[in-house]
């Protein structure tokens, strides 16, 4: 189904955007809001701690909730939670902002994978491999792309492009959601 292609593209763009932010956030925090190197590096730990908590909550909610709805909710929350990372210039808030960003993504990668596998009667290992390849491609290309971008501009631009990627993921999840709802 075409929704699987939307999910593949969403995974690629999601991981690209996430890595644009994760790679350049510490640098941005040091330059723009004068955080120490250790505090700026700690922002990434806060993201992953939040992500763990969010995934646990999502797993509990998914017992009763619809995967399509959870995926769309997570995409929206993840996208809009990235905006304060580059628009609020207070170092005291950054640890909380990165934790919240990680938390509200609710394990979006796994949700998109689940959404795609629900679009077919019997998901094959090949389908899962192709979905993971799309995600891995986003992870693989993001360091090079973001480095070229930052070399030409500034770390803040990489964060904004990351937000743009997350906003695009919302659209792709909506398209996938619509094709999935036509099937159900």
């Amino acid at each position: 189904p075409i929704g699987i292609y939307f999910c593949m593209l969403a995974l690629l763009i999601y991981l690209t955007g996430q890595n644009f932010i994760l790679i350049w956030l510490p640098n941005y925090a040091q330059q723009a809001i004068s955080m120490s190197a250790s505090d700026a590096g700690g922002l990434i730990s806060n993201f992953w701690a939040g992500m763990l908590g969010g995934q646990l909550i999502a797993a509990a909610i998914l017992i009763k909730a619809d995967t399509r709805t959870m995926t769309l909710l997570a995409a929206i929350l993840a996208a809009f939670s990235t905006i304060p990372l580059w628009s609020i210039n207070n170092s005291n808030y950054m640890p909380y902002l990165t934790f919240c960003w990680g938390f509200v993504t609710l394990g979006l990668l796994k949700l998109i994978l689940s959404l795609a596998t629900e679009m077919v009667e019997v998901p094959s290992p090949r389908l899962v491999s192709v979905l993971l390849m799309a995600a891995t491609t986003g992870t693989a290309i993001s360091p090079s792309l973001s480095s070229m971008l930052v070399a030409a501009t500034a770390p803040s631009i990489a964060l904004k492009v990351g937000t743009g990627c997350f906003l695009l993921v919302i659209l792709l999840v909506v398209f996938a959601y619509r094709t999935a709802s036509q099937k159900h």
Side-chain angles (χ1 to χ4, degrees):
I2 190 150
I4 290 175
Y5 293 102
F6 289 130
C7 288
M8 288 172 58
L9 192 54
L11 288 167
L12 185 142
I13 292 172
Y14 166 63
L15 271 288
T16 300
Q18 177 178 289
N19 285 329
F20 264 58
I21 295 171
L22 289 176
I23 290 168
W24 293 103
L25 184 61
N27 187 282
Y28 169 79
Q30 288 176 29
Q31 289 181 4
I33 56 177
S34 302
M35 287 185 84
S36 69
S38 61
D39 288 345
L43 297 175
I44 306 311
S45 294
N46 291 347
F47 168 80
W48 290 112
M51 174 79 79
L52 174 62
Q55 288 182 73
L56 293 173
I57 297 297
I61 293 171
L62 279 171
I63 292 169
K64 298 279 185 191
D66 179 56
T67 303
R68 291 173 291 145
T69 304
M70 266 308 268
T71 305
L72 182 57
L73 175 65
I76 291 167
L77 292 173
F80 287 100
S81 67
T82 64
I83 295 169
L85 298 176
W86 48 263
S87 65
I88 295 177
N89 293 324
N90 186 327
S91 62
N92 295 327
Y93 296 135
M94 290 302 281
Y96 303 108
L97 293 173
T98 54
F99 180 87
C100 288
W101 171 41
F103 188 86
V104 301
T105 60
L106 302 171
L108 185 56
L109 171 93
K110 288 123 188 120
L111 290 168
I112 296 171
L113 286 168
S114 296
L115 177 64
T117 60
E118 287 181 358
M119 292 182 192
V120 294
E121 286 292 321
V122 179
S124 69
R126 190 170 32 175
L127 171 63
V128 174
S129 293
V130 169
L131 291 165
L132 290 173
M133 179 58 79
T136 303
T137 301
T139 301
I141 65 173
S142 55
S144 178
L145 291 177
S146 67
S147 294
M148 289 187 290
L149 178 66
V150 169
T153 60
S156 63
I157 302 300
L159 302 183
K160 292 173 184 176
V161 168
T163 295
C165 289
F166 275 67
L167 292 170
L168 187 53
V169 168
I170 294 172
L171 292 175
L172 292 166
V173 168
V174 166
F175 294 148
Y177 182 100
R178 291 183 57 119
T179 62
S181 37
Q182 293 168 0
K183 290 270 186 204
H184 295 271

